Amino acid sequence: MLVKSSPFLHPGTVAQAGKLSIIHLKRDLQLPTVLKEHDEDHEGYAEGKVVNTRFGSFPHSTLIGQPWGTQIIASKVDTGSRGRRIKELEKKRKRNGPQAEDTSSKRQKTGEDGYTEAVIDGAGIGKEEVEAVAAQSGFAHLLAPTPENWTSSLPHRTQVVYTPDYSYILHRIRARPGSALIEAGAGSGSFTHASARAVYRGYPETDELPNKRRKVGKVWSYEFHEQRHQKLQEEIREHDLEGIVEITHRDVCEEGFLVDGQSPCADAIFLDLPAPWLALPHLVRSKPGSFVSPLNPSTPVHICTFSPCIEQVQKTMSVMRQLGWVDIEMVAIAHRRLEIRRERIGIDNGAQRGLQTGPASVDEALQRLLEVEGNFKLFHETGAKTTRRKDNPNNREKIIESLVERKVYKEGKLVHRTEQEVKNHTSYLVFAILPQEWTEEDEARMRNQWPIEIRHEVEPQAGGPNPISKRAQKKAAKEAANKVSGDNPSIPVDRTETMTSEDPKAAGEK
């Protein structure tokens, strides 16, 4: 049994039919598209399946087989006649009745628009696909799907966790290849795809594959809303992440985290819930009675809660302390993006980004002034209106000249600005650690495995001298050294005091 490879994990080098791809129009505008070789929905385009954007139309036939990062030129697509011929044929089939049902081997004649109508069958009516013709303007870039651009382009069913947040969260909860991660509150699936890439360590082994006894990472995702659960399950199936992500429709605050009585054995947890403190009692090591813990018993467990209000944080941290969580910390992410570019000044450089249309030097200003005055004088003398000849500064020759000869990219002042609006869901992140449970049996087993000698302090006997500390011993040694240096004759002493004490008469004569 062959396992399909997800485009999020192994995208390959080119875009493939039936796989997800991202059409990048501009930095904040990306479209996720599953490429199709044929128009299975019978939308009526002669070119087959087509993606229509504000920058042009892109048939799927021009996308399939292209390397990732390729610039795709828009195509000429007749969007006005979409479905017109199909509706006419459907009306004709209804008028003819049951006799027109079986026309699977009959082809229609060529229409006035030059398109040949396809076979009419029970599945619907389409058109034979024609080769796409490139348009004069409009382009897009074809990108491989990643959790980052999927977060920017996914259909929002709820407020999503953006890249600045989930990158820090995955780092703090120690999500790594082979980890078992619990996600409660899947929502739109942004964190689901990012965590699937973080824990990925191969697909689960099938019966036909040999057992290598390796730990395969897995994401145990839970969603309370039924419609969101179904939609996310379809996306996981389309993205070939079924073996890595398991989605369960459940209210974890009431029913816990076990799946068919099986423990996820999680060592990393992310809770995006309105009341995460209600789910915390299910995330414990043990309880009285027959309780199966969803946590990994052999490692410490790291957790993160995602809450927009400080009152939620206070309640969550209070319950964490009661349940034995340690190293509790709250973090708020403030992400800003800086735009760095050069500001150039000039009149004849064309309409370019970051360019101020003003004279760059005195000579350029004087030349422009003489041109304006000359045109003004000629108009009043002859009445003829002259127009300034404008050459296209963005053609190939001008661009090569500006880059190679003038080195325009080095001209101007280098400036940076902070963007005003950044996509980032402001919330409070609460991190904590649940230590590994340690019993007396574990302590005895470890002492037997690694025996150590325990040093016992000798208590002073009653009436005997008190033990001297190391600090007192050092002080006594220093005083003894000073006394020895004082008795040394090489050290100069006061001779007046010595003579007075030994011979008072000699001291008086002196």
Side-chain angles (χ1 to χ4, degrees), residues 4-59:
K4 294 184 179 180
S5 178
S6 172
F8 284 87
L9 305 174
H10 302 286
T13 58
V14 298
Q16 302 177 10
K19 296 289 185 178
L20 178 70
S21 63
I22 305 296
I23 299 178
H24 179 88
L25 303 175
K26 60 180 184 178
R27 188 180 63 185
D28 295 328
L29 182 57
Q30 305 180 46
L31 298 178
T33 304
V34 179
L35 301 181
K36 303 291 184 181
E37 293 182 347
H38 304 286
D39 186 6
E40 300 175 357
D41 299 331
H42 304 288
E43 295 179 350
Y45 292 108
E47 293 80 7
K49 194 73 173 178
V50 176
V51 178
N52 292 314
T53 69
R54 56 186 293 187
F55 298 99
S57 300
F58 301 92

Side-chain angles (χ1 to χ4, degrees), residues 280-297 322-324 434-439:
L280 289 176
H282 301 282
L283 299 172
V284 294
R285 298 288 187 184
S286 60
K287 280 184 179 181
S290 58
F291 173 75
V292 179
S293 175
L295 308 180
N296 190 345
Q322 297 174 10
L323 296 177
L434 186 63
Q436 182 180 351
E437 192 173 19
W438 197 254
T439 62

Side-chain angles (χ1 to χ4, degrees), residues 204-221:
E205 298 166 348
T206 60
D207 296 336
E208 300 177 0
L209 297 177
N211 184 14
K212 299 181 181 179
R213 294 183 180 180
R214 57 190 175 93
K215 186 178 179 182
V216 179
K218 190 170 184 179
V219 177
W220 303 80
S221 183

Side-chain angles (χ1 to χ4, degrees), residues 65 67 75 78 120 196 206 220 304 307 333 356 379 388 417 432 445 494:
S75 301
D78 185 10
I120 307 174
T206 60
W220 303 80
C304 173
S307 303
I333 303 295
Q356 299 180 8
F379 175 76
R388 184 186 178 191
R417 293 189 178 94
R445 186 174 67 255
D494 192 351

Side-chain angles (χ1 to χ4, degrees), residues 178-182 215 218 220 222 257-258 262-269 285 292-299 301:
S179 298
L181 188 146
I182 286 179
K215 186 178 179 182
K218 190 170 184 179
W220 303 80
Y222 302 85
F257 295 89
L258 301 184
Q262 178 185 1
S263 173
C265 291
D267 45 26
I269 302 170
R285 298 288 187 184
V292 179
S293 175
L295 308 180
N296 190 345
S298 59
T299 59
V301 177

